[in-house]
């Protein structure tokens, strides 16, 4: 499939890889944490670096798109009439580096060890994003034009629930108009297995707080007579699942669709060794829904998870106190077809119905949540990306779901009417969000090849 | 009942009250917190102050009794052949002052406001203890002898579960031999109501920890496939009670005795306004066992309380993490007849039986716990104390239980074979263990009178 034009770009990229990596390391040194206001200046630095690079490599209309929070970076080139317009997505913000003590090298001093780049943001999402920009640079350096029309949307708040993105998308609807979104974020299944992402779960978050008295009470003076907020919370949280580990919230599953046949076939084709998968993280079988394959559970089944509980005395030794307050953070992963607001309302109604009359319940919603997303099985851009992956890796890619969420996918579907296909060179074992996050050098090389080839391949695809 | 000798002591105490209060304030300034090693020097200072005072007022064999932790202070006088020997108990250690920000005056700078002494330890137990010592001083100052044989056991670890007390009692069994223990610790029911303590609940503590994976996991990448330690803990804790708020642990109630008729009569005689009692602390009815009177629940029913829960992410905002570890601190209050070790074993067996197979459960026991205690209804020393209370307050005292625990009571019963009667001038609303702890000045005056009178009254009592 590879023409001479593409081969020249690949040769250029190969020759310039050391410089491209140097620049990536510079990008990784910027602590662009979006969740903590202390890093606001670093966020601006990272956006500024992208603006300069995009202008330098020859992108046009390079600008910040503001939406009230951290801006997105935009740029475009329309060099190829009669080709589709590809909206390339990535994000330049990163998760906080905590816990710092567990890093073997400082999170913002990228370190090359054993063929891996260790740094916060290495796999999520700075290297995958850098690969995409480098492919554009290669095409522009060698040919002076791109083989397909390209727009860029580089977000600065992906790790903060994409708070401002709906505003940015709505305000710049025309500017962002395209035929498909191509995401540099996403993830490959595992090393040595060609794969293509075809779905994402949604997410919604709730914070639950119970109050049972004006202040903490002495368990001797009041125990047996007054309610215990920690106990009440435990009972409330326990009511969220039945004894088969299945979510027991009435109405929660409303709208949930079964995964498509091709996706179910993938689950079986991959024949995951479930016990080994769990053993890798020190977990044991039996915590999932009986009769549901592990990958089906991860990719397509909704969940209600308790992310944290705070109640009463947590110091050393014992303290005979009856906590007056207890709180829990919950997040739900959503399957295809579930509406985030309706699923949240079902959980809230369940909690209210199960809260004892002697406790005050308050519930906060940090954000609106995101729906799950799946690219249609017959999407021509998905087919184009799949052909490129097969070409580069010599293996037809397996369709894989992502258990996590890219809020942008459902947002651009809703606001811009675009489907999202993903071409990420991150791999799911690279410790995204965790200490010692890394990215494989070999993925950088493969990614440059794939991104160099995907641009002309998409030029020929049309819905 | 009051003879001339007692009247002279009372007059002396009245005349010397300002100086006695000055000395109490000096005692209250010592931050003798027993639970935190940082205060070890203050604990020694408080014990030293007691040693000096006891020697100065004329007590004999003044010494420290060591048991490996903070020492107890001992002293005695055997002035009255043919009278019983009374072992007077109190404690000189206090709870930590946290949370400091909620104190209106510094916890270790006693402040006199509205007829109340505000300070950590004011009601628990420095003022009640000071009253007892002052009564001894009065008798010795006026008469040079005590009207009954007296031994003193002033503990330094009551707020630390009386850890070393079993050792001290065992090592000094002969030295501490007596006919009855008279405790300055305990509590009156409420202002304006003459009362006498006749029972205490026991206590036991457990710490429960669940582990479900080697480290915290991303809820997108693992949610639905792996166990959630916070969720598992919630379910485990919820299983401890049934839907009637009754402890649902098999074997937990084994040995539990019904309260005596006189105690049940008290519950009814007091006719507590339960809704008002709960409203005082901002709590609502309905959290107790149905059909059990509030005071009966508080004084005689066993409980299982969750004192605190720690799990997962507790910071601001949401974090999509599956906690790999969750822990809870539990304390149980025990009713008369329950054996602490057997009750603990029942709870442990319940937790093991209800722990899901995909979680690792570990349980720690901070200490052995203490059994409940009740003084026999026909105890002659209880009758003597009751007569004194009626004499001082012009009202027959109501028998009241204590929902809390004085570990010393069951320990001296077991080791020394002594019953414990209580003559405390603390009142249960004086914020023991909480910010702005206080003690009423009027209780200091009443207490001096009662303690001056109780010594000759006990001299005449004999089992």
């Amino acid at each position: 499939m590879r023409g001479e034009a593409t081969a020249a770009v690949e040769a250029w990229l190969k020759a310039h890889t050391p410089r491209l990596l140097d620049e990536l390391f510079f990008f990784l040194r910027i602590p662009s944490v979006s969740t903590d206001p202390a890093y606001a200046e670093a966020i601006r630095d990272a956006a500024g670096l992208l603006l300069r690079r995009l202008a330098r490599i020859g992108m046009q209309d390079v600008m910040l798109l503001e939406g009230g929070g951290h801006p997105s970076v935009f740029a475009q080139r329309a060099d190829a009439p009669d080709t589709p317009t590809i909206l390339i997505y990535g994000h330049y913000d990163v998760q906080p580096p905590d816990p710092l003590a567990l890093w073997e090298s400082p999170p913002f001093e990228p370190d090359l060890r054993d063929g891996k780049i260790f740094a916060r943001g290495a796999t999520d999402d700075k290297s995958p994003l850098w690969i995409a920009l480098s492919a554009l640079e290669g095409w522009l350096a060698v040919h002076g034009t791109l083989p397909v029309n390209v727009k860029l949307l580089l977000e600065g708040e992906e790790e903060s629930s994409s708070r401002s993105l709906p505003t940015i998308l709505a305000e710049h609807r025309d500017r962002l108009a395209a035929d498909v979104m191509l995401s540099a974020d996403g993830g490959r299944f595992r090393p040595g297995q060609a794969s293509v992402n075809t779905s994402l779960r949604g997410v919604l978050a709730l914070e639950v707080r119970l109050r049972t008295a004006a202040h903490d009470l002495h368990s001797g003076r009041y125990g047996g007579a007054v309610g215990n907020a920690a106990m009440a919370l435990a009972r409330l949280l326990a009511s969220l699942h039945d004894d088969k580990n299945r979510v027991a919230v009435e109405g929660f599953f409303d709208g949930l669709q079964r995964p498509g046949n091709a996706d179910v076939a993938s689950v079986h084709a991959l024949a995951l060794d479930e016990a080994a998968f769990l053993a890798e993280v020190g977990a044991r079988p039996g915590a999932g829904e009986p009769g549901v394959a592990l990958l089906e559970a991860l990719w397509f089944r909704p969940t209600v998870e308790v992310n944290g509980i705070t109640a009463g005395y947590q110091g050393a030794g014992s303290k005979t106190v009856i906590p007056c307050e207890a709180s829990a953070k919950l997040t739900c992963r959503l399957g295809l077809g579930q509406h985030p607001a309706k699923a949240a309302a079902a959980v809230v109604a369940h909690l209210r119905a199960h809260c004892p009359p002697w406790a005050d319940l308050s519930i906060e919603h940090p954000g609106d949540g995101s729906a799950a997303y799946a690219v249609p099985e017959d999407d021509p851009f998905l087919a184009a990306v799949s052909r490129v992956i097969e070409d580069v890796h010599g293996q037809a890619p397996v369709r894989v779901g992502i258990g996590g969420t890219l809020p942008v996918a459902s947002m651009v579907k809703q606001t811009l009417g675009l489907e999202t296909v993903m071409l990420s060179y991150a791999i799911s074992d690279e410790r995204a969000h965790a200490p010692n996050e890394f990215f494989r050098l070999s993925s950088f090389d493969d990614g440059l090849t794939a991104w160099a080839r995907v641009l002309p391949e998409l030029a020929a695809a049309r819905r």
Side-chain angles (χ1 to χ4, degrees), chain A:
Chain A
M1 67 188 290
R2 183 164 56 127
E4 275 178 34
T6 306
V9 173
E10 289 181 37
W12 185 93
L13 288 168
K14 207 169 194 101
H16 290 79
T17 295
R19 196 255 297 160
L20 295 169
L21 280 173
D22 273 356
E23 290 179 359
L24 168 60
F25 276 41
F26 199 86
F27 188 34
L28 288 168
R29 280 190 195 99
I30 304 175
S32 48
V33 176
S34 61
T35 54
D36 184 340
Y39 294 94
E41 198 179 323
I43 282 278
R44 292 279 160 177
D45 286 349
L49 179 146
L50 291 173
L51 291 175
R52 287 192 304 278
R53 180 170 195 218
L54 291 169
R56 181 170 55 72
I57 68 175
M59 292 300 294
Q60 296 163 346
D61 302 320
V62 179
M63 67 178 80
L64 295 178
L65 306 184
E66 300 280 355
H70 302 315
S72 288
V73 174
F74 176 85
Q76 65 181 345
R77 273 194 82 107
D79 295 331
D82 301 324
T83 70
T85 299
I86 313 300
L87 179 63
I88 294 176
Y89 172 83
H91 64 91
Y92 64 86
D93 65 323
V94 300
Q95 282 272 319
D98 316 77
L100 279 174
L102 298 186
W103 284 81
E104 287 169 29
S105 53
F108 297 110
E109 295 176 23
D111 191 37
L112 198 58
R113 303 195 293 276
D114 309 325
K116 298 166 182 170
I117 305 164
F118 288 86
R120 168 56 82 231
T123 188
D124 183 14
D125 177 43
K126 285 179 172 173
S127 307
L129 165 59
W130 210 249
I131 288 169
L133 301 191
S134 299
L136 298 178
E137 181 175 354
W139 272 95
L140 289 168
V142 175
H143 302 293
T145 60
L146 298 178
V148 68
N149 298 317
V150 166
K151 295 180 177 181
L152 287 172
L153 176 67
L154 308 181
E155 192 190 358
E157 288 184 326
E158 200 274 340
E159 304 296 359
S160 302
S161 312
S162 298
R163 275 191 305 251
S164 316
L165 196 59
T167 307
I168 291 172
L169 295 179
E171 300 228 333
H172 300 277
R173 192 188 307 261
D174 294 339
R175 191 185 306 281
L176 294 166
D179 292 283
V180 69
M181 188 164 88
L182 179 65
S183 174
D185 200 7
R188 291 190 286 161
F189 185 64
R190 52 178 49 182
Q193 170 67 59
S195 63
V196 61
N197 297 134
T198 51
S199 68
L200 300 156
R201 285 194 291 191
V203 71
L204 70 87
L206 294 171
E207 192 157 344
V208 179
R209 190 174 298 274
L210 283 184
R211 228 186 144 81
T212 51
H215 46 83
D216 287 355
L217 296 166
H218 189 286
S219 81
R221 278 161 211 240
Y222 292 94
V226 305
N228 179 317
M231 201 68 242
L233 182 67
R235 288 157 77 168
L236 200 50
L237 296 178
S239 75
L240 291 166
H241 293 82
D242 65 18
D243 56 8
K244 302 278 189 245
N245 305 317
R246 193 183 147 93
V247 177
V249 174
E250 200 182 314
F252 179 70
F253 290 98
D254 284 3
L256 180 66
Q257 297 162 15
R258 282 191 50 75
N261 292 336
D263 293 314
V264 173
S266 269
V267 168
H268 296 293
L270 281 166
L272 182 74
D273 181 340
E274 301 190 357
F277 177 91
L278 294 173
E280 263 175 33
V281 293
R284 285 204 293 268
E289 290 178 69
V292 179
L294 189 146
L295 287 179
E296 186 182 343
L298 279 187
W299 294 345
F300 307 117
R301 292 291 294 170
T303 65
V304 178
E305 296 282 0
V306 179
N307 310 119
I309 304 179
T310 302
Y313 182 67
Q314 303 185 40
S318 79
K319 185 170 181 188
T320 53
V321 71
I322 301 175
C324 68
E325 195 174 71
S327 61
K329 293 175 190 287
L330 305 181
T331 47
C332 305
R333 294 289 167 176
L334 303 177
L336 204 63
Q338 283 181 293
H339 189 288
K342 286 181 188 166
V347 175
V348 168
H350 174 98
L351 292 171
R352 295 216 180 282
H354 286 75
C355 181
W358 40 267
D360 286 323
L361 172 65
S362 63
I363 300 173
E364 278 177 51
H365 300 257
D368 296 330
S370 297
Y373 173 78
V375 59
E377 288 194 11
D378 59 356
D379 186 274
F381 299 106
L382 176 65
V385 165
S386 298
R387 282 194 301 274
V388 168
I389 293 172
E390 180 165 1
D391 188 39
V392 172
H393 297 275
Q395 189 183 34
V398 177
R399 299 166 59 89
V400 300
I402 292 181
T405 307
L406 261 183
V408 67
S410 58
M411 287 178 191
V412 300
K413 172 82 180 174
Q414 200 177 349
T415 316
L416 308 177
L418 302 186
E419 303 295 348
T420 294
V421 294
M422 291 171 257
L423 180 59
S424 171
Y425 271 79
I427 304 187
S428 60
D429 63 355
E430 292 174 334
R431 304 197 192 114
H433 297 205
N436 304 308
E437 177 178 350
F438 69 91
F439 187 77
R440 290 172 170 85
L441 265 189
S442 59
S443 296
F444 196 78
D445 297 330
D446 290 345
L448 289 177
T449 306
W451 275 83
R453 294 182 193 182
V454 82
L455 299 179
E457 192 69 20
L458 290 170
R462 196 164 275 283
R463 208 168 297 277

